[in-house]
Amino acid sequence: FENSEINRLAITHVDPEKETLGWELYRRYPNDPNAQNGPHHVLRTGEPEMADISDDMLQAGARDEEHLQILRDLGLKSYICVPMQARGLTLGAITFISARAGRLYREADLQLAFDLASRAAHAVDNARLYKEAQQAREAAIAANRAKDEFLAIVSHELRTPLTSILGWATLLRMGGIGEEQQNEALETIERNARAQAQLVGDILDVSRIVTGKMQLDLQPLQLSNVVMTSLDTLRPAVEAKNLRLTLHLDAQQTGIRGDAARLHQVIANLVG
């Protein structure tokens, strides 16, 4: 019973032909949700129903002659419908129908039906609670995994500008570099310090990171300039490892709209 819609889950009878006939009846003549009796009414009111079934009742409830004939073929004699309730919630309903002559339901049968419905409802409710607990556990595991991945990425992102700052600062302290290169070193240190500050701001703004809504500062850029600036930042770290970094750029300038700071991060990660 979900969203005011009833889905029949099972029909069972000792006679397989009558079970098939029951499913055929359900398929061709579904219950009227506004009926004043039957499963919908029990679900709306939370009150049980019990009645003996006469031919007059069948005729009153039949929608056409074929429907009436199917009802008569089933040989319905007595009826009980009780709600399945657990923790104040109505989860469904169970219907019992006697198709045996002389077997009419009475108060003891109604109490037994209540007991069976209650046990079934608690079983369904426990299964639902278990499923919700599993989903919560899986969500917690996924959140922890995402946190670990995030910390791994952040630690790498923080090291990249720091490495450049330390590399150029070391060269400046050692001396032996020209004025032009000194200016380049200072510009690189300043640029990476700003990038570091931006990364720290991003980390502190956890809500945007978690929801994947990082803001981009889109500006017209020359992609070659972004690449060259990024590699200049990395060059001291490269040279410290006795490696050689060469750059081959297409002669044709490529203009884009992008976030220079984010692109620097991407290039630094790729080259690193």
Side-chain angles (χ1 to χ4, degrees), residues 1-9 26 30-34 39-44 84 90-93 128:
F1 176 56
E2 298 180 357
N3 301 323
S4 301
E5 293 184 3
I6 294 180
N7 296 312
R8 180 157 292 175
L9 300 180
Y26 173 69
N31 292 326
D32 180 2
N34 300 313
H40 280 85
H41 186 255
V42 170
L43 288 167
R44 284 199 307 270
M84 294 170 54
T90 300
L91 306 178
R128 185 174 62 175

Side-chain angles (χ1 to χ4, degrees), residues 127-202:
R128 185 174 62 175
L129 290 174
Y130 177 74
K131 182 179 179 180
E132 290 175 356
Q134 273 191 317
Q135 291 173 339
R137 180 174 176 274
E138 290 170 0
I141 291 173
N144 281 330
R145 188 182 302 116
K147 181 190 69 175
D148 292 341
E149 291 173 357
F150 168 71
L151 290 175
I153 293 170
V154 164
S155 64
H156 177 75
E157 295 289 350
L158 289 174
R159 279 197 301 268
T160 300
L162 276 177
T163 300
S164 179
I165 292 171
L166 290 172
W168 282 105
T170 301
L171 289 175
L172 286 172
R173 188 162 61 86
M174 291 173 60
I177 60 175
E179 183 178 346
E180 184 178 346
Q181 198 171 15
Q182 287 182 11
N183 291 332
E184 180 186 354
L186 291 172
E187 288 176 3
T188 303
I189 290 172
E190 184 179 2
R191 183 171 61 251
N192 280 277
R194 289 199 186 99
Q196 186 86 340
Q198 184 176 4
L199 280 170
V200 172
D202 291 341

Side-chain angles (χ1 to χ4, degrees), residues 33-92:
N34 300 313
Q36 295 305 305
N37 52 54
H40 280 85
H41 186 255
V42 170
L43 288 167
R44 284 199 307 270
T45 64
E47 297 296 326
E49 292 180 353
M50 181 173 68
D52 296 336
I53 302 173
S54 64
D55 193 68
D56 289 341
M57 290 175 63
L58 296 181
Q59 292 183 53
R63 300 179 193 176
D64 52 41
E65 286 299 321
E66 191 172 6
H67 188 195
L68 177 60
Q69 189 58 52
I70 294 175
L71 293 172
R72 284 172 172 167
D73 290 343
L74 285 169
L76 311 179
K77 302 299 180 184
S78 193
Y79 154 86
I80 289 176
C81 185
V82 291
M84 294 170 54
Q85 296 174 326
R87 296 188 301 121
L89 300 174
T90 300
L91 306 178

Side-chain angles (χ1 to χ4, degrees), residues 14 18 65 82 105 110 116 133 139 142 154 182 187 193-194 204 213 219 227 239 246 248 251:
V14 292
K18 286 196 173 182
E65 286 299 321
V82 291
Y105 291 130
L110 180 61
L116 292 172
V154 164
Q182 287 182 11
E187 288 176 3
R194 289 199 186 99
L204 294 176
K213 295 179 179 177
Q219 301 290 340
V227 174
E239 293 174 353
T246 58
H248 300 279

